[in-house]
Amino acid sequence: MIRYVDHHRDNAASSWEDLARTLGGSFAARARGLISPEMILLTPDGEPFGRLTADEAGGTRLRTGGLAARIEPRTSTTYTMTTGGDEILTAENAGSATTLTLRSGERAYEASISLLRNSAVARSSAGKEAARISGGLTNRRYRAAFDPQDPASLPITIFLLHRTFALRSSAFRTSP
C-alpha cells in the first residue's frame, strides 16, 4: 500500500513545534512605535525572534526565522491563520469580539479576552489552559505563556496576542 504524505503540511507543523520547543512555553512582545501595527516577539531571554506586522490587505503577518504565517479576517466575525497556504487555525466570535471559539484540526478551544485587564486566556474543550496573554496598561508590552505539549497552543497564543493588541489599539484610537 502506498501512503500519501503531505510534506508541506508536515513541514509547517514541524516548524511550529520546533519554535514551541525553542521558546519553552513562553515569550514576550513589545509594540514598535506609538500606535504601531507591528509587534516585536522576544524569547524568554529578551532576544528578538519574530515580528507580527499588519499589512495593507487587512491581515497580519508573522515572520520568525523559517516560519511565516498570516492571520486574516474571513468574515466580520471569523478569522483564519495559515502557514504555507495551509489553514492551521480558525477563530470565530462566540457572541462578542472578546469571546472566541478556536479550532485547530480536530481540536476546539474557548478563549476570552479582557480589554480592561489587557489579558486573554484559551482553554481546550477539556478545560486545560492552552494559552495566556497578559499585557501592560499602555498596550505596549505583553507576556505570553503556552502549553508546549499542545501543538495548537503556540498558534493560538500568537492569534490571541494579535487579537488582544488589535482590540486594545482600536479602543485607544476611538477613545475621546
Side-chain angles (χ1 to χ4, degrees):
M1 175 168 93
I2 296 175
R3 189 176 143 199
Y4 173 74
V5 177
D6 185 346
H7 293 290
H8 185 67
R9 180 175 299 274
D10 289 346
N11 288 341
S14 177
S15 294
W16 281 103
E17 290 168 7
D18 290 347
L19 182 57
R21 230 180 344 272
T22 298
L23 295 173
S26 68
F27 65 92
R30 65 177 159 76
R32 187 173 156 198
L34 233 15
I35 296 181
S36 174
E38 181 176 59
M39 296 197 80
I40 308 299
L41 306 178
L42 308 163
T43 67
D45 296 330
E47 295 297 319
F49 74 90
R51 295 176 186 273
L52 268 175
T53 308
D55 62 25
E56 293 90 32
T60 300
R61 294 196 181 278
L62 166 69
R63 297 216 188 279
T64 70
L67 177 66
R70 180 168 163 72
I71 300 168
E72 58 190 335
R74 183 184 291 164
T75 68
S76 63
T77 61
T78 306
Y79 308 86
T80 61
M81 180 183 243
T82 56
T83 299
D86 294 327
E87 187 174 282
I88 58 166
L89 181 71
T90 60
E92 186 172 2
N93 291 358
S96 75
T98 59
T99 305
L100 303 160
T101 300
L102 306 163
R103 295 193 190 293
S104 180
E106 299 297 316
R107 295 182 174 157
Y109 301 80
E110 298 298 319
S112 61
I113 299 170
S114 171
L115 296 177
L116 184 61
R117 293 178 189 240
N118 198 15
S119 64
V121 66
R123 296 185 188 285
S124 70
S125 56
K128 185 176 179 190
E129 188 173 294
R132 176 173 294 277
I133 301 291
S134 57
L137 180 64
T138 61
N139 202 39
R140 308 229 348 107
R141 295 190 180 276
Y142 284 85
R143 301 285 315 152
F146 61 94
D147 178 0
Q149 302 302 312
D150 181 341
S153 68
L154 181 54
I156 287 170
T157 306
I158 296 289
F159 178 81
L160 288 177
L161 174 63
H162 152 76
R163 190 75 183 130
T164 303
F165 180 72
L167 288 172
R168 293 265 305 183
S169 295
S170 174
F172 282 133
R173 284 192 299 270
T174 59
S175 294

